[in-house]
């Protein structure tokens, strides 16, 4: 009947709208032109690397959907079996649910942040967008009960958090806080940097020696001068991420509650030791011991290994569960690998 056809086509329309929204975001992030920062406007500034990693994860999902469509197209083209519009709907129904769920999540975690920043007419804050996306993914993992969506959110979270771990890993292993997209919740204090650079210029003008106390905010500049106590207290800023998350009714991910304060302390400590080593102010025996024994990627690699171990029990329960008769879930499991395979795949993301 016309009514039933309308209902069916409405389902197609809703899913295609979700697909278009996700594909448009992926294209805007991954296919954006490379502009000279000096000639770009705030709206053209590059997005956080967490957004690029998230977009890459979405792109993989859309490619899986495209592959399934190609398989269905082959069935229709071969004309060996009867394949009606209802058959097409039943085959794509699992994907419709996935696309609609992802579009709804994307609207809360990404679109709402971008709209609020445009309304406020302020410079886009990559750090706020990054922490809200990570916290939203963490919340989605904790509340999801469908196997396929759980695997998708885990996959997206592990890909999206990788740039954060690289920033933290480099800071705590080599003493360099390098945040090229201004997305990390800790940052070098620009006011401290400006005042210390003026102080450096004044001391250089009067012939300051290496023993005089003078500090700046990067190891490459400060290694020629001394350190002041204010480097520890004023050298770095902690951005108001708690307030940003409360505005969006989000909780700080549990992994960050324990980790971030320690990362701040450890990062500042390693940076000071790195500076002292470059100045030659460490004893020879201590300087020999203070080497870069840890790769900046080791933090993320060990995190992935710990996640694998924690999910082993979950995987065993899945394999031993003989009660679940939800055919739609079983039919959907081919869309994505098992959780373990998803994690192994995400560890290869650069």
């Amino acid at each position: 009947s016309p009514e039933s056809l309308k209902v069916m086509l409405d389902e197609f329309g809703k899913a295609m709208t979700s697909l278009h929204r996700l594909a448009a975001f992926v294209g805007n992030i991954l296919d954006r032109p490379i502009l000279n920062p000096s000639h770009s406007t705030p709206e053209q500034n590059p997005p956080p690397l967490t957004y690029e990693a998230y977009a890459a994860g979405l792109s993989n999902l859309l490619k899986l959907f495209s592959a399934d469509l190609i398989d269905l197209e082959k069935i229709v083209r071969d004309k060996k079996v009867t394949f009606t519009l209802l058959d097409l709907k039943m085959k794509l129904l699992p994907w419709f649910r996935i696309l609609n769920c992802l579009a709804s999540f994307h609207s809360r975690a990404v679109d709402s942040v971008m709209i609020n920043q445009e309304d406020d007419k302020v410079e886009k804050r990559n750090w706020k967008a990054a922490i809200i996306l990570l916290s939203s993914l963490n919340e989605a993992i904790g509340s999801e009960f469908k196997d396929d969506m759980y695997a998708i959110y885990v996959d997206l979270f592990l890909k999206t958090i990788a740039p954060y771990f690289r920033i933290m890993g480099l800071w705590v292993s080599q003493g360099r806080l390098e945040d090229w997209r201004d997305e990390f919740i800790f940052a070098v204090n620009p006011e401290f940097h400006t005042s210390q650079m003026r102080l450096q210029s004044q001391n250089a003008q009067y012939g300051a020696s290496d023993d005089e106390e003078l500090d700046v905010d990067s190891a490459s500049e400060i290694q020629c001068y001394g350190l002041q106590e204010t480097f520890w207290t004023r050298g770095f800023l902690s951005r108001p991420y708690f307030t940003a998350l409360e505005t969006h009714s989000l909780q700080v991910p549990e992994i960050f509650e324990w980790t971030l304060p320690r990362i701040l302390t450890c990062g500042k400590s390693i940076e000071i030791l790195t500076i002292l080593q470059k100045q030659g102010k460490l004893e020879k025996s201590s300087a020999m011991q203070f080497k870069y024994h840890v790769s900046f990627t080791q933090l993320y690699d060990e995190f992935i290994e710990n996640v694998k171990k924690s999910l082993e029990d979950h995987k065993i329960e899945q394999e031993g569960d003989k009660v679940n008769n939800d055919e739609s879930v079983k039919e959907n499991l081919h869309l994505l690998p098992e959780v373990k395979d998803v994690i192994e795949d995400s560890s290869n993301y650069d």
Side-chain angles (χ1 to χ4, degrees):
S1 66
E3 291 77 12
S4 59
L5 179 62
K6 181 179 181 302
V7 172
M8 183 181 300
L9 293 180
D10 284 344
E11 293 186 46
F12 278 91
K14 182 180 179 181
M16 292 305 103
T17 300
S18 299
L19 174 64
H20 174 74
R21 181 184 300 175
L22 296 173
F25 171 79
V26 170
N28 289 337
I29 297 296
L30 299 184
D31 300 332
R32 56 182 297 276
I34 300 177
L35 301 174
N36 188 328
S38 61
H39 300 296
S40 62
T41 63
E43 291 76 15
Q44 295 173 321
N45 287 341
L49 291 174
T50 46
Y51 267 36
E52 291 190 1
Y54 169 70
L58 289 179
S59 178
N60 290 341
L61 286 167
L62 299 185
K63 288 176 182 177
L64 288 175
F65 176 58
S66 179
D68 268 17
L69 285 180
I70 292 174
D71 291 340
L72 293 176
E73 182 183 3
K74 182 179 179 181
I75 294 174
V76 175
R77 188 174 62 247
D78 291 344
K79 299 180 180 179
K80 294 180 180 179
V81 295
T82 301
F83 198 82
T84 66
L85 186 61
L86 182 60
D87 294 325
L88 177 63
K89 174 192 170 183
M90 297 307 296
K91 288 289 186 180
L92 293 179
L93 201 57
W95 270 116
F96 287 175
R97 177 174 56 81
I98 290 174
L99 292 173
N100 291 333
C101 287
L102 285 176
S104 177
F105 167 82
H106 183 82
S107 178
R108 299 191 307 272
V110 177
D111 291 343
S112 62
V113 178
M114 300 175 72
I115 291 173
N116 288 338
Q117 291 190 4
E118 290 175 0
D119 291 342
D120 293 340
K121 299 185 183 302
V122 296
E123 183 179 354
K124 291 185 177 179
R125 297 185 175 93
N126 281 355
W127 69 266
K128 183 181 292 186
I131 192 65
I132 288 176
L133 175 58
L134 290 170
S135 299
S136 298
L137 284 168
N138 180 75
E139 182 183 67
I141 292 172
S143 60
E144 185 54 55
F145 62 92
K146 289 283 188 179
D147 289 352
D148 51 2
M149 287 305 304
Y150 178 81
I152 289 172
Y153 286 135
V154 169
D155 178 52
L156 289 174
F157 180 77
L158 295 179
K159 284 182 170 66
T160 305
I161 203 174
Y164 247 53
F165 268 92
R166 291 192 186 92
I167 294 172
M168 293 189 294
L170 186 62
W171 198 18
V172 301
S173 65
Q174 300 183 21
R176 303 201 313 270
L177 179 55
E178 295 185 357
D179 181 13
W180 303 112
R181 299 290 178 87
D182 200 30
E183 62 189 301
F184 196 44
I185 63 168
F186 300 129
V188 172
N189 186 346
E191 295 181 0
F192 179 79
H193 172 79
T194 302
S195 63
Q196 294 306 314
M197 287 302 292
R198 286 198 300 265
L199 186 61
Q200 171 184 331
S201 177
Q202 294 172 4
N203 278 270
Q205 184 177 2
Y206 291 103
S209 66
D210 289 346
D211 294 331
E212 292 180 352
E213 291 187 345
L214 189 146
D215 81 66
V216 292
D217 62 346
S218 65
S220 61
E221 296 170 337
I222 200 174
Q223 59 181 320
C224 299
Y225 300 92
L227 279 169
Q228 289 184 342
E229 293 181 1
T230 52
F231 178 82
W232 183 268
T233 58
R234 295 181 54 217
F236 301 93
L237 293 175
S238 178
R239 286 159 169 156
Y241 61 97
F242 278 101
T243 303
L245 293 179
E246 287 178 359
T247 302
H248 289 76
S249 301
L250 292 170
Q251 299 290 328
V252 178
E254 187 175 351
I255 182 178
F256 286 161
E257 287 184 352
W258 186 90
T259 304
L260 290 178
R262 289 163 175 79
I263 289 293
L264 178 61
T265 302
C266 183
K268 291 192 292 186
S269 301
I270 297 300
E271 186 156 348
I272 289 175
L273 289 174
T274 302
I275 293 167
L276 293 176
Q277 184 184 36
K278 290 181 178 180
Q279 292 177 330
K281 294 185 177 180
L282 290 180
E283 294 183 5
K284 187 173 182 181
S285 58
S286 300
M288 291 295 294
Q289 294 177 3
F290 182 67
K291 297 292 183 181
Y292 301 142
H293 296 298
V294 180
S295 168
F296 72 93
T297 62
Q298 184 172 340
L299 193 64
Y300 181 69
D301 294 339
E302 291 187 358
F303 169 69
I304 292 295
E305 288 301 320
N306 290 333
V307 171
K308 287 182 184 180
K309 293 177 182 178
S310 67
L311 288 178
E312 282 301 317
D313 293 339
H314 174 79
K315 184 174 182 294
I316 292 172
E317 291 175 2
Q318 292 268 337
E319 293 174 348
D321 186 6
K322 304 298 183 181
V323 181
N324 187 2
N325 294 319
D326 188 347
E327 294 298 330
S328 63
V329 172
K330 296 178 181 178
E331 185 178 355
N332 285 334
L333 290 180
H334 78 283
L335 299 177
L336 283 175
E338 292 180 342
V339 172
K340 180 180 179 182
D341 295 329
V342 169
I343 295 172
E344 290 175 348
D345 174 70
S346 68
S347 65
N348 296 324
Y349 176 81
D350 290 323

